[in-house]
Amino acid sequence: MPITNVNGIELYYEVHGEGEPLLMIMGLAHNLLSWKKSLPGLAEHFKVIVFDNRGTGRSSKPETAYSIELMAEEAKAVLDAALVESAHVYGISMGGMIAQRLALNFPDRVKSLILGCTSPGGINQIQPDTEVIMTLLSGASIPTTPVEAAWASVPILYSPYFIENHRDSIAEHIETMIEIPTPAHGFMQQLQACLAHDSYNELENINTPALIIHGDADRLIPVENGKMLADKIKDSKLYIVPGAGHLYVIEAQKDVDDILIDFIKKHSVEKKKVK
């Protein structure tokens, strides 16, 4: 079982496929199993590195304070453990915040940057509505089973259309999520790290090619945040997933994976030409 030690904790990671390295960073309270649908197809093209952030999955779950900066250091440590000097980095939601910080603090480790359904944070970000905020806070404060907590979050993670027409897909994803439940303290510590995240005034310092992906029906992190990232990062492209909610990786998985593959291959070729 591949484990690396960093900052006094153990991080679980996996490596799939061969080729250009792609580090994928998952979001709030989710572990690497949430990449289940995308992983096989992406591993046909790239050396895909996935891992469990602190507080989730098979990584350590300390009850001390977490920060996005700390988790970016740990993402770098996963690259070290996988013997990868630099990688294309894809982070969604909280993982996108970690990916921003990784690109800012360790730019030589990032070949290109893909930011999904995420935010620059701070006072400039567009906040979700009150119902979303209350659902998030109750997720850590009201005792429920992992299944109940997962279903309670469905209205803020998926678009109404997807909820109505693809309940089986949602149930399948929830089953995957709760194989290794995230404890309440892990959820809350990650959430507090997200709330403290603020990269807004640093985004212009990101010099790597970037792809911003966002669903236009995202309630958790409204699409205006994705547009803000695209405006602030110089060499970036914005792809809006029409009709998709926060978990566009479930709602539009194949289309988004195809766009991701094309983006990485394009920038892999450009890097080789520059050399």
Side-chain angles (χ1 to χ4, degrees), residues 46-109:
F46 311 115
K47 178 179 181 177
V48 181
I49 306 148
V50 290
F51 70 103
D52 293 330
N53 288 304
R54 60 166 54 220
T56 61
R58 283 162 280 192
S59 290
S60 299
K61 304 170 183 67
E63 299 194 26
T64 52
Y66 298 7
S67 72
I68 297 300
E69 189 155 5
L70 189 67
M71 288 190 277
E73 288 179 11
E74 291 164 359
K76 181 178 77 72
V78 170
L79 289 179
D80 293 340
L83 304 178
V84 171
E85 288 187 13
S86 62
H88 304 276
V89 177
Y90 179 25
I92 63 170
S93 196
M94 181 187 77
M97 299 175 187
I98 297 168
Q100 292 169 54
R101 184 50 55 192
L102 186 64
L104 287 163
N105 290 11
F106 309 101
D108 58 321
R109 308 304 296 270

Side-chain angles (χ1 to χ4, degrees), residues 125-133 136 219-222 225:
Q125 70 180 320
I126 306 302
Q127 298 286 351
D129 61 59
T130 303
E131 181 185 355
V132 171
I133 294 171
L136 275 177
R219 291 185 65 199
L220 181 58
I221 300 181
N225 291 290

Side-chain angles (χ1 to χ4, degrees), residues 3 13 24 38 44-45 74 89-90 97 106 111 132 140 145 169 180-182 201 215 232-233 238 243 251-253:
I3 294 283
Y13 71 97
M24 305 211 299
S38 293
E44 290 180 6
H45 299 271
E74 291 164 359
V89 177
Y90 179 25
M97 299 175 187
F106 309 101
K111 293 186 175 188
V132 171
T145 67
S169 294
I180 310 175
T182 297
N201 291 322
K232 294 283 286 181
I233 298 174
L238 175 64
E251 296 193 33
Q253 176 250 319

